[in-house]
Amino acid sequence: LLIEDVPGIGKTTLARAIAKSVDCTFQRIQFTNDLLPSDIIGVTIYNQHTQQFEFKAGPIFANVILADERNRTTPKTQSCLLEAMNDLQVSGDGATHHLPEPFLVRATQNPVELHGTYPLPESQLDRFMLKIRMGYPPSEDEKNIITGQQVRPPINSLGPVVHAEDVCAMQNMVLDVKVETALVEYIMAIVEATRYSPSIELGVSPRGAMSFYRSSQANAFVMGRSE
């Protein structure tokens, strides 16, 4: 999930709240211009006691990853998440390391401040299943947000409502949601329209079409429907 909106609107807070709502391991990675791929994936070091090389896992080895302001780091570091997001694994020094399940990436970026940023290329944007904008809250809700911070941030008392095994089970149950042929054809009509519209520079990819299909199944599942 890519959360894109103006500063101070609660992008990071939303990502943290989602992470705290599931009883999973969580890591926040603050993306800066000096961040290296090894800072995220990990490094292989020589252990003098065992006289062997050992892999020291980086923060990517968690169930829920908050990639904060991802567009502030260099393309080389941005790309180190591609394999993780696509294949649920990372590679380094000739070895492949599998990531824990479930593996969920919540990334944030600011669309209006371009100084010192590296816009995500389409190849990386395509790895995200969804991109959302939050928008400014209604006046009454914003008043509650302001007054609710007087003692301590409410997010500090937020507890999990599901566990890691529940998330994995629900992911598998989503795959069983039936999608009628007419709806598949409707999805493909939208996808193909984006590819041939003169108003759209780059149409939806097959990966994007699959994400559209899966998110439709997930939405039906959340609404309590099996089809």
Side-chain angles (χ1 to χ4, degrees):
L1 174 66
L2 178 61
I3 308 172
E4 181 182 77
D5 220 314
V6 296
I9 208 165
K11 300 185 298 295
T12 300
T13 301
L14 174 62
R16 287 181 58 206
I18 294 174
K20 294 190 71 172
S21 298
V22 293
D23 189 18
C24 297
T25 56
F26 169 69
Q27 287 284 357
R28 174 182 176 179
I29 306 173
Q30 185 66 48
F31 280 71
T32 57
N33 57 7
D34 60 349
L35 193 70
L36 299 175
S38 58
D39 296 330
I40 299 174
I41 296 175
V43 295
T44 301
I45 62 174
Y46 182 74
N47 189 323
Q48 293 184 346
H49 296 287
T50 62
Q51 297 185 350
Q52 292 180 339
F53 286 96
E54 297 179 354
F55 177 72
K56 297 296 182 181
I60 192 69
F61 287 86
N63 296 119
V64 181
I65 302 297
L66 170 54
D68 213 0
E69 296 186 288
R70 182 174 172 178
N71 58 331
R72 287 195 175 280
T73 195
T74 61
K76 180 179 181 180
T77 304
Q78 289 177 4
S79 64
C80 75
L81 281 180
L82 293 182
E83 183 182 13
M85 295 173 64
N86 199 61
D87 301 322
L88 301 182
Q89 65 181 32
V90 294
S91 300
D93 295 327
T96 298
H97 307 278
H98 295 280
L99 297 169
E101 294 186 28
F103 180 72
L104 311 171
V105 175
R106 305 286 182 256
T108 69
Q109 73 172 6
N110 177 3
V112 296
E113 187 179 12
L114 301 179
H115 180 71
T117 63
Y118 303 84
L120 297 179
E122 291 296 333
S123 61
Q124 295 188 43
L125 288 173
D126 201 50
R127 259 67 176 190
F128 288 97
M129 186 175 190
L130 296 170
K131 181 174 79 169
I132 66 171
R133 294 181 183 271
M134 298 177 61
Y136 291 107
S139 179
E140 192 63 30
D141 291 341
E142 189 166 6
K143 185 193 305 181
N144 293 333
I145 292 173
I146 295 172
T147 57
Q149 308 288 328
Q150 292 181 356
V151 179
R152 61 175 182 173
I155 193 174
N156 291 346
S157 59
L158 187 65
V161 294
V162 295
H163 303 285
E165 56 270 20
D166 300 323
V167 176
C168 292
M170 288 187 288
Q171 287 178 329
N172 291 328
M173 292 170 69
V174 165
L175 302 179
D176 295 328
V177 174
K178 182 180 178 181
V179 182
E180 294 290 344
T181 303
L183 288 177
V184 178
E185 293 176 352
Y186 179 63
I187 290 174
M188 287 310 303
I190 296 175
V191 168
E192 291 180 1
T194 67
R195 295 171 180 172
Y196 301 107
S197 171
S199 303
I200 300 177
E201 182 177 354
L202 184 63
V204 177
S205 69
R207 184 191 290 116
M210 177 61 72
S211 294
F212 194 177
Y213 181 88
R214 289 285 184 239
S215 59
S216 300
Q217 288 180 299
N219 182 68
F221 175 80
V222 169
M223 299 298 292
R225 304 197 307 268
S226 59
E227 60 180 31

